[in-house]
């Protein structure tokens, strides 16, 4: 059954490597092995007859169940639903395998250890993004209130803290508390299982882990405000930020370890010793079952590989922007290092265009290479980024800008007199259909067609100084017709 877990971890490794939020995932398999080994050392497995046929059926079923997981993930390496389904297959297969060897009561002992791996699977976006925004506002609000009480005047708008001298500090994703919250929950789950706390005490430990994570992140924000108020700026402030992050992380894990030790001293450790240690397993127990699992895994992996080698004919469309075609000339501005680190784009441009007096267009154009890194295209959205800066979006809708050969579908919002237009599309969209996103059904259909994820692009346009949405649309239409070029790539360039 370890083969199924290895397949899942192999797929997760890139998510852990690309996202600092889930970087702790590399440690989780080792922690699971530690917990499972301690459970195995407890013994207590009953001497029951093991059905080789049952083990073989479970192994074959688990091995074949990874085929749809591999198929969908290869087509959509950024779709987290597929990772959770893959994790459910590995977890369910492992528990069923253990129950077939030693019975359900014995297998249940391993559930807490195996469940720890779910904390290393990236959270679903509809849970993660609102939680990031809520935690960011919580940290910004609490830090601002405490700073004012300590005599350091500050105000916050969304996730941004502005000091008395105009210095602005952003509570980015890394500072929001999500990273420390997830790692705190992982540590709390590990410590609770390590010392075998009761389930009530484990729940209390998880709750305290969440509260400590929020508290330490607020403390870090307060200390950053103090450093900025003392005149620390630029790279020195960034270095101080990183040092505070490392220090608060160590303090957080230390507090959780101390709390675990305190809880373990006040309670009787929960250990199931109802059964005597079992003798060694009979010889033929896992062999045929393991053989069936290996064959099924090889067949599933091979079939998924061959599936994506079929001849799939599509016309990938790429968009280019020729700024030289715009009059008056645009001003190209550098994109900050923080934005580059968060978005991980391969090519990004920020252009400022003033088509009329008192009218300004800020255009952000980003390009991501094919593969899992293109999932960062989902991070850059106005309905995520602008509210984080304290800008409220209203009057949402959709609108299509047309040029000679293509129609680009924009999502639209209004924000403080500024009109926001946003479009994101995948590299496998055909000419004339540059709409961003394919939906859940579209992702599955793409896997069934044998199409892997292509490169992604996005364009965000902020139009300010106009009287109404009609004028804003007219300016965007003018920009698209004059500067946006689309081209269909040959199959060899995909």
């Amino acid at each position: 059954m370890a083969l199924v877990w290895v397949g899942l971890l192999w797929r997760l490794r890139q998510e852990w490597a690309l996202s600092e939020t889930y970087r702790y995932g590399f440690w989780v398999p080792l922690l699971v092995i530690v917990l499972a080994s301690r459970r195995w050392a407890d013994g207590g497995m009953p001497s029951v007859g093991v059905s080789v046929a049952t083990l073989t059926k479970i192994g074959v079923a688990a091995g074949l169940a990874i085929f749809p997981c591999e198929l969908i993930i290869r087509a959509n390496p950024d779709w987290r639903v597929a990772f959770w389904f893959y994790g459910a297959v590995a977890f369910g297969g492992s528990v069923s395998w253990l129950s077939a060897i030693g019975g359900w009561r014995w297998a249940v002992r391993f559930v807490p250890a195996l469940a720890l791996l779910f904390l290393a699977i990236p959270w679903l976006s509809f849970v993660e993004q609102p939680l990031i925004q809520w935690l960011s506002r919580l940290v910004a609000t609490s830090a601002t209130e405490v700073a004012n009480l300590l005599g350091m005047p500050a105000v916050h708008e969304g996730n941004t803290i502005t000091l008395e001298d105009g210095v602005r500090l952003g509570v980015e994703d890394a500072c929001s508390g999500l990273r420390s919250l997830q790692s705190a929950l992982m540590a709390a789950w590990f410590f609770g299982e390590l010392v075998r706390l009761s389930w009530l005490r484990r729940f209390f430990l998880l709750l305290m882990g969440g509260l400590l994570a929020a508290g330490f992140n607020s403390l870090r924000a307060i200390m950053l405000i103090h450093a900025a108020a003392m005149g620390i700026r630029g790279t020195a402030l960034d270095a101080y930020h990183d040092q505070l992050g490392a220090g608060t992380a160590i303090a957080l894990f230390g507090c959780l370890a101390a709390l675990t030790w305190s809880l373990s001293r006040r309670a009787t450790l929960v250990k199931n010793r109802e059964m005597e240690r079992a003798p060694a397993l009979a010889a033929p127990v896992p062999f045929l079952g393991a053989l069936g699992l290996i064959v099924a895994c090889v067949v599933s992996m091979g079939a998924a590989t061959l599936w994506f080698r079929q001849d799939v004919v599509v016309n990938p469309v790429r968009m280019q922007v020729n700024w030289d075609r715009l009059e008056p000339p645009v001003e190209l501005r550098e994109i900050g290092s923080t934005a580059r680190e968060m978005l991980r784009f391969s090519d990004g441009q920020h252009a400022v265009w003033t088509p009329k007096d008192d009218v300004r267009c800020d255009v952000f154009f980003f390009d991501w290479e094919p593969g899992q890194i293109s999932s960062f295209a989902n991070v850059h959205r106005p309905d995520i980024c602008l509210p984080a800066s304290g800008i409220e979006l209203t009057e949402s809708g959709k609108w299509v800008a047309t040029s000679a050969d293509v129609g680009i579908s924009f999502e639209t919002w209004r924000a403080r007199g500024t009109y926001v237009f946003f479009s994101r599309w995948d590299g496998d969209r055909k000419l004339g259909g540059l709409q961003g996103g394919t939906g859940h059904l579209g992702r599955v259909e793409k896997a069934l067609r044998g199409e892997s994820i292509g490169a992604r692009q996005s364009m965000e346009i902020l139009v300010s100084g106009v009287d109404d949405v009609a004028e804003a649309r007219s300016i965007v239409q003018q920009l698209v017709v004059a500067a946006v070029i689309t081209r269909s790539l040959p199959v060899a360039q995909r």
Side-chain angles (χ1 to χ4, degrees), residues 205-242:
L205 190 61
L206 289 170
L207 179 62
M208 290 303 300
L211 293 175
L212 286 170
F216 276 112
N217 273 278
S218 296
L219 177 61
R220 178 168 59 167
I222 294 168
M223 296 180 72
L224 282 173
I225 292 175
H226 177 264
M230 296 298 293
I232 301 177
R233 299 286 189 274
T235 56
L237 187 61
D238 292 338
Y240 185 60
H241 170 274
D242 295 339

mmCIF file of all heavy atoms in Angstrom, residues 205-242:
data_model
loop_
_atom_site.group_PDB
_atom_site.id
_atom_site.type_symbol
_atom_site.label_atom_id
_atom_site.label_comp_id
_atom_site.label_asym_id
_atom_site.label_seq_id
_atom_site.Cartn_x
_atom_site.Cartn_y
_atom_site.Cartn_z
ATOM 1 N N LEU A 205 -5.927 20.846 22.195
ATOM 2 C CA LEU A 205 -4.592 21.167 21.701
ATOM 3 C C LEU A 205 -4.665 21.792 20.302
ATOM 4 O O LEU A 205 -3.942 22.754 19.999
ATOM 5 C CB LEU A 205 -3.730 19.896 21.666
ATOM 6 C CG LEU A 205 -2.230 20.073 21.393
ATOM 7 C CD1 LEU A 205 -1.590 20.916 22.479
ATOM 8 C CD2 LEU A 205 -1.543 18.711 21.305
ATOM 9 N N LEU A 206 -5.551 21.254 19.444
ATOM 10 C CA LEU A 206 -5.737 21.840 18.115
ATOM 11 C C LEU A 206 -6.275 23.269 18.217
ATOM 12 O O LEU A 206 -5.825 24.170 17.485
ATOM 13 C CB LEU A 206 -6.697 20.983 17.295
ATOM 14 C CG LEU A 206 -6.173 19.619 16.814
ATOM 15 C CD1 LEU A 206 -7.319 18.795 16.239
ATOM 16 C CD2 LEU A 206 -5.084 19.810 15.769
ATOM 17 N N LEU A 207 -7.238 23.468 19.110
ATOM 18 C CA LEU A 207 -7.794 24.808 19.297
ATOM 19 C C LEU A 207 -6.729 25.785 19.775
ATOM 20 O O LEU A 207 -6.623 26.913 19.262
ATOM 21 C CB LEU A 207 -8.952 24.744 20.296
ATOM 22 C CG LEU A 207 -9.635 26.076 20.638
ATOM 23 C CD1 LEU A 207 -10.268 26.679 19.385
ATOM 24 C CD2 LEU A 207 -10.695 25.875 21.726
ATOM 25 N N MET A 208 -5.933 25.362 20.731
ATOM 26 C CA MET A 208 -4.867 26.227 21.236
ATOM 27 C C MET A 208 -3.816 26.492 20.167
ATOM 28 O O MET A 208 -3.231 27.582 20.113
ATOM 29 C CB MET A 208 -4.220 25.597 22.476
ATOM 30 C CG MET A 208 -5.113 25.592 23.704
ATOM 31 S SD MET A 208 -5.660 27.258 24.159
ATOM 32 C CE MET A 208 -4.085 28.059 24.471
ATOM 33 N N GLY A 209 -3.571 25.500 19.302
ATOM 34 C CA GLY A 209 -2.629 25.706 18.212
ATOM 35 C C GLY A 209 -3.087 26.821 17.288
ATOM 36 O O GLY A 209 -2.295 27.671 16.878
ATOM 37 N N GLY A 210 -4.398 26.832 16.953
ATOM 38 C CA GLY A 210 -4.938 27.900 16.116
ATOM 39 C C GLY A 210 -4.844 29.257 16.780
ATOM 40 O O GLY A 210 -4.479 30.254 16.143
ATOM 41 N N LEU A 211 -5.180 29.321 18.066
ATOM 42 C CA LEU A 211 -5.120 30.593 18.790
ATOM 43 C C LEU A 211 -3.685 31.099 18.925
ATOM 44 O O LEU A 211 -3.413 32.301 18.776
ATOM 45 C CB LEU A 211 -5.754 30.427 20.171
ATOM 46 C CG LEU A 211 -7.266 30.152 20.188
ATOM 47 C CD1 LEU A 211 -7.742 29.893 21.618
ATOM 48 C CD2 LEU A 211 -8.030 31.319 19.572
ATOM 49 N N LEU A 212 -2.759 30.182 19.202
ATOM 50 C CA LEU A 212 -1.354 30.588 19.322
ATOM 51 C C LEU A 212 -0.817 31.093 17.983
ATOM 52 O O LEU A 212 -0.052 32.070 17.935
ATOM 53 C CB LEU A 212 -0.512 29.408 19.813
ATOM 54 C CG LEU A 212 -0.658 29.045 21.289
ATOM 55 C CD1 LEU A 212 0.040 27.718 21.585
ATOM 56 C CD2 LEU A 212 -0.085 30.149 22.175
ATOM 57 N N ALA A 213 -1.223 30.450 16.885
ATOM 58 C CA ALA A 213 -0.774 30.891 15.567
ATOM 59 C C ALA A 213 -1.243 32.315 15.288
ATOM 60 O O ALA A 213 -0.471 33.159 14.819
ATOM 61 C CB ALA A 213 -1.291 29.935 14.489
ATOM 62 N N ALA A 214 -2.522 32.593 15.576
ATOM 63 C CA ALA A 214 -3.042 33.947 15.366
ATOM 64 C C ALA A 214 -2.341 34.957 16.274
ATOM 65 O O ALA A 214 -1.993 36.067 15.851
ATOM 66 C CB ALA A 214 -4.549 33.959 15.615
ATOM 67 N N GLY A 215 -2.110 34.560 17.524
ATOM 68 C CA GLY A 215 -1.464 35.461 18.470
ATOM 69 C C GLY A 215 -0.031 35.803 18.085
ATOM 70 O O GLY A 215 0.370 36.981 18.115
ATOM 71 N N PHE A 216 0.738 34.795 17.684
ATOM 72 C CA PHE A 216 2.132 35.054 17.318
ATOM 73 C C PHE A 216 2.237 35.866 16.029
ATOM 74 O O PHE A 216 3.160 36.670 15.863
ATOM 75 C CB PHE A 216 2.898 33.736 17.182
ATOM 76 C CG PHE A 216 3.414 33.206 18.489
ATOM 77 C CD1 PHE A 216 2.897 32.052 19.051
ATOM 78 C CD2 PHE A 216 4.406 33.884 19.179
ATOM 79 C CE1 PHE A 216 3.369 31.564 20.261
ATOM 80 C CE2 PHE A 216 4.891 33.418 20.394
ATOM 81 C CZ PHE A 216 4.369 32.254 20.940
ATOM 82 N N ASN A 217 1.302 35.668 15.098
ATOM 83 C CA ASN A 217 1.338 36.474 13.877
ATOM 84 C C ASN A 217 0.988 37.924 14.165
ATOM 85 O O ASN A 217 1.563 38.839 13.566
ATOM 86 C CB ASN A 217 0.393 35.891 12.829
ATOM 87 C CG ASN A 217 1.062 34.828 11.985
ATOM 88 O OD1 ASN A 217 1.760 35.124 11.028
ATOM 89 N ND2 ASN A 217 0.870 33.580 12.375
ATOM 90 N N SER A 218 0.054 38.154 15.075
ATOM 91 C CA SER A 218 -0.248 39.526 15.477
ATOM 92 C C SER A 218 0.951 40.165 16.171
ATOM 93 O O SER A 218 1.267 41.337 15.948
ATOM 94 C CB SER A 218 -1.473 39.546 16.396
ATOM 95 O OG SER A 218 -2.627 39.088 15.716
ATOM 96 N N LEU A 219 1.629 39.389 17.009
ATOM 97 C CA LEU A 219 2.825 39.888 17.676
ATOM 98 C C LEU A 219 3.904 40.261 16.662
ATOM 99 O O LEU A 219 4.564 41.303 16.790
ATOM 100 C CB LEU A 219 3.364 38.831 18.642
ATOM 101 C CG LEU A 219 4.673 39.165 19.368
ATOM 102 C CD1 LEU A 219 4.504 40.407 20.240
ATOM 103 C CD2 LEU A 219 5.139 37.975 20.205
ATOM 104 N N ARG A 220 4.067 39.430 15.626
ATOM 105 C CA ARG A 220 5.066 39.744 14.596
ATOM 106 C C ARG A 220 4.705 41.036 13.877
ATOM 107 O O ARG A 220 5.581 41.866 13.590
ATOM 108 C CB ARG A 220 5.159 38.587 13.602
ATOM 109 C CG ARG A 220 6.142 38.866 12.479
ATOM 110 C CD ARG A 220 6.474 37.661 11.638
ATOM 111 N NE ARG A 220 5.331 37.062 10.992
ATOM 112 C CZ ARG A 220 5.415 36.159 10.018
ATOM 113 N NH1 ARG A 220 6.603 35.755 9.619
ATOM 114 N NH2 ARG A 220 4.343 35.655 9.476
ATOM 115 N N ALA A 221 3.417 41.212 13.566
ATOM 116 C CA ALA A 221 2.997 42.446 12.894
ATOM 117 C C ALA A 221 3.247 43.666 13.773
ATOM 118 O O ALA A 221 3.676 44.728 13.286
ATOM 119 C CB ALA A 221 1.526 42.351 12.514
ATOM 120 N N ILE A 222 2.995 43.547 15.077
ATOM 121 C CA ILE A 222 3.240 44.659 16.007
ATOM 122 C C ILE A 222 4.724 45.017 16.039
ATOM 123 O O ILE A 222 5.102 46.198 16.014
ATOM 124 C CB ILE A 222 2.744 44.288 17.416
ATOM 125 C CG1 ILE A 222 1.214 44.136 17.410
ATOM 126 C CG2 ILE A 222 3.159 45.344 18.432
ATOM 127 C CD1 ILE A 222 0.674 43.498 18.666
ATOM 128 N N MET A 223 5.571 44.001 16.071
ATOM 129 C CA MET A 223 7.010 44.258 16.102
ATOM 130 C C MET A 223 7.495 44.871 14.786
ATOM 131 O O MET A 223 8.420 45.687 14.773
ATOM 132 C CB MET A 223 7.752 42.959 16.405
ATOM 133 C CG MET A 223 7.430 42.393 17.791
ATOM 134 S SD MET A 223 8.289 40.849 18.177
ATOM 135 C CE MET A 223 9.961 41.444 18.409
ATOM 136 N N LEU A 224 6.862 44.504 13.668
ATOM 137 C CA LEU A 224 7.214 45.129 12.393
ATOM 138 C C LEU A 224 6.794 46.599 12.376
ATOM 139 O O LEU A 224 7.518 47.456 11.845
ATOM 140 C CB LEU A 224 6.543 44.379 11.237
ATOM 141 C CG LEU A 224 7.189 43.065 10.810
ATOM 142 C CD1 LEU A 224 6.319 42.359 9.779
ATOM 143 C CD2 LEU A 224 8.587 43.306 10.239
ATOM 144 N N ILE A 225 5.621 46.892 12.939
ATOM 145 C CA ILE A 225 5.179 48.284 13.039
ATOM 146 C C ILE A 225 6.172 49.093 13.873
ATOM 147 O O ILE A 225 6.545 50.218 13.519
ATOM 148 C CB ILE A 225 3.767 48.354 13.655
ATOM 149 C CG1 ILE A 225 2.742 47.752 12.691
ATOM 150 C CG2 ILE A 225 3.384 49.795 13.994
ATOM 151 C CD1 ILE A 225 1.348 47.663 13.273
ATOM 152 N N HIS A 226 6.615 48.504 14.973
ATOM 153 C CA HIS A 226 7.584 49.197 15.834
ATOM 154 C C HIS A 226 8.895 49.434 15.091
ATOM 155 O O HIS A 226 9.493 50.531 15.172
ATOM 156 C CB HIS A 226 7.837 48.363 17.093
ATOM 157 C CG HIS A 226 8.862 48.962 18.007
ATOM 158 N ND1 HIS A 226 10.200 48.574 17.981
ATOM 159 C CD2 HIS A 226 8.767 49.935 18.954
ATOM 160 C CE1 HIS A 226 10.860 49.279 18.890
ATOM 161 N NE2 HIS A 226 10.021 50.109 19.494
ATOM 162 N N ALA A 227 9.345 48.421 14.334
ATOM 163 C CA ALA A 227 10.592 48.575 13.586
ATOM 164 C C ALA A 227 10.457 49.669 12.528
ATOM 165 O O ALA A 227 11.359 50.492 12.347
ATOM 166 C CB ALA A 227 10.987 47.255 12.940
ATOM 167 N N ALA A 228 9.316 49.689 11.825
ATOM 168 C CA ALA A 228 9.105 50.724 10.808
ATOM 169 C C ALA A 228 9.005 52.101 11.444
ATOM 170 O O ALA A 228 9.501 53.087 10.896
ATOM 171 C CB ALA A 228 7.843 50.411 10.004
ATOM 172 N N ALA A 229 8.363 52.186 12.608
ATOM 173 C CA ALA A 229 8.252 53.466 13.304
ATOM 174 C C ALA A 229 9.609 53.971 13.782
ATOM 175 O O ALA A 229 9.816 55.182 13.918
ATOM 176 C CB ALA A 229 7.299 53.327 14.490
ATOM 177 N N MET A 230 10.541 53.038 14.011
ATOM 178 C CA MET A 230 11.889 53.422 14.433
ATOM 179 C C MET A 230 12.794 53.780 13.259
ATOM 180 O O MET A 230 13.975 54.061 13.442
ATOM 181 C CB MET A 230 12.524 52.281 15.233
ATOM 182 C CG MET A 230 11.799 51.970 16.546
ATOM 183 S SD MET A 230 11.816 53.367 17.696
ATOM 184 C CE MET A 230 13.556 53.458 18.091
ATOM 185 N N GLY A 231 12.253 53.721 12.031
ATOM 186 C CA GLY A 231 13.016 54.151 10.869
ATOM 187 C C GLY A 231 13.651 53.040 10.064
ATOM 188 O O GLY A 231 14.395 53.316 9.116
ATOM 189 N N ILE A 232 13.385 51.780 10.399
ATOM 190 C CA ILE A 232 13.945 50.669 9.624
ATOM 191 C C ILE A 232 13.167 50.533 8.324
ATOM 192 O O ILE A 232 11.936 50.466 8.338
ATOM 193 C CB ILE A 232 13.906 49.358 10.424
ATOM 194 C CG1 ILE A 232 14.706 49.505 11.725
ATOM 195 C CG2 ILE A 232 14.436 48.193 9.603
ATOM 196 C CD1 ILE A 232 14.673 48.286 12.610
ATOM 197 N N ARG A 233 13.859 50.464 7.194
ATOM 198 C CA ARG A 233 13.207 50.446 5.889
ATOM 199 C C ARG A 233 13.899 49.435 4.965
ATOM 200 O O ARG A 233 14.986 48.933 5.243
ATOM 201 C CB ARG A 233 13.261 51.835 5.216
ATOM 202 C CG ARG A 233 12.578 52.936 5.973
ATOM 203 C CD ARG A 233 11.054 52.831 5.885
ATOM 204 N NE ARG A 233 10.417 54.010 6.439
ATOM 205 C CZ ARG A 233 10.132 54.164 7.718
ATOM 206 N NH1 ARG A 233 10.460 53.202 8.574
ATOM 207 N NH2 ARG A 233 9.539 55.265 8.158
ATOM 208 N N GLY A 234 13.247 49.177 3.838
ATOM 209 C CA GLY A 234 13.843 48.417 2.739
ATOM 210 C C GLY A 234 14.284 47.018 3.114
ATOM 211 O O GLY A 234 13.591 46.270 3.788
ATOM 212 N N THR A 235 15.484 46.657 2.658
ATOM 213 C CA THR A 235 15.993 45.299 2.858
ATOM 214 C C THR A 235 16.203 44.983 4.336
ATOM 215 O O THR A 235 16.077 43.825 4.745
ATOM 216 C CB THR A 235 17.318 45.113 2.098
ATOM 217 O OG1 THR A 235 18.256 46.118 2.524
ATOM 218 C CG2 THR A 235 17.106 45.243 0.592
ATOM 219 N N ALA A 236 16.530 46.009 5.129
ATOM 220 C CA ALA A 236 16.710 45.789 6.566
ATOM 221 C C ALA A 236 15.388 45.356 7.201
ATOM 222 O O ALA A 236 15.343 44.449 8.051
ATOM 223 C CB ALA A 236 17.245 47.045 7.237
ATOM 224 N N LEU A 237 14.279 45.981 6.780
ATOM 225 C CA LEU A 237 12.970 45.608 7.310
ATOM 226 C C LEU A 237 12.570 44.213 6.829
ATOM 227 O O LEU A 237 11.986 43.434 7.585
ATOM 228 C CB LEU A 237 11.923 46.631 6.880
ATOM 229 C CG LEU A 237 10.521 46.470 7.486
ATOM 230 C CD1 LEU A 237 10.579 46.606 9.005
ATOM 231 C CD2 LEU A 237 9.560 47.496 6.906
ATOM 232 N N ASP A 238 12.920 43.886 5.569
ATOM 233 C CA ASP A 238 12.626 42.545 5.055
ATOM 234 C C ASP A 238 13.387 41.480 5.827
ATOM 235 O O ASP A 238 12.847 40.414 6.150
ATOM 236 C CB ASP A 238 12.990 42.463 3.565
ATOM 237 C CG ASP A 238 12.086 43.324 2.702
ATOM 238 O OD1 ASP A 238 10.959 43.640 3.166
ATOM 239 O OD2 ASP A 238 12.496 43.688 1.580
ATOM 240 N N ALA A 239 14.658 41.749 6.120
ATOM 241 C CA ALA A 239 15.459 40.794 6.887
ATOM 242 C C ALA A 239 14.904 40.630 8.298
ATOM 243 O O ALA A 239 14.852 39.515 8.834
ATOM 244 C CB ALA A 239 16.924 41.260 6.936
ATOM 245 N N TYR A 240 14.488 41.734 8.896
ATOM 246 C CA TYR A 240 13.895 41.687 10.237
ATOM 247 C C TYR A 240 12.589 40.890 10.214
ATOM 248 O O TYR A 240 12.298 40.117 11.136
ATOM 249 C CB TYR A 240 13.646 43.109 10.725
ATOM 250 C CG TYR A 240 13.135 43.202 12.143
ATOM 251 C CD1 TYR A 240 13.876 42.703 13.211
ATOM 252 C CD2 TYR A 240 11.905 43.794 12.426
ATOM 253 C CE1 TYR A 240 13.413 42.790 14.509
ATOM 254 C CE2 TYR A 240 11.432 43.886 13.713
ATOM 255 C CZ TYR A 240 12.191 43.383 14.754
ATOM 256 O OH TYR A 240 11.716 43.465 16.044
ATOM 257 N N HIS A 241 11.827 41.054 9.132
ATOM 258 C CA HIS A 241 10.591 40.308 8.968
ATOM 259 C C HIS A 241 10.857 38.803 8.955
ATOM 260 O O HIS A 241 10.156 38.017 9.608
ATOM 261 C CB HIS A 241 9.905 40.747 7.672
ATOM 262 C CG HIS A 241 8.750 39.906 7.266
ATOM 263 N ND1 HIS A 241 8.903 38.753 6.512
ATOM 264 C CD2 HIS A 241 7.420 40.023 7.499
ATOM 265 C CE1 HIS A 241 7.720 38.204 6.305
ATOM 266 N NE2 HIS A 241 6.814 38.951 6.895
ATOM 267 N N ASP A 242 11.880 38.381 8.206
ATOM 268 C CA ASP A 242 12.212 36.958 8.119
ATOM 269 C C ASP A 242 12.695 36.417 9.463
ATOM 270 O O ASP A 242 12.370 35.283 9.849
ATOM 271 C CB ASP A 242 13.290 36.736 7.051
ATOM 272 C CG ASP A 242 12.779 37.071 5.656
ATOM 273 O OD1 ASP A 242 11.545 37.075 5.460
ATOM 274 O OD2 ASP A 242 13.615 37.337 4.767
#
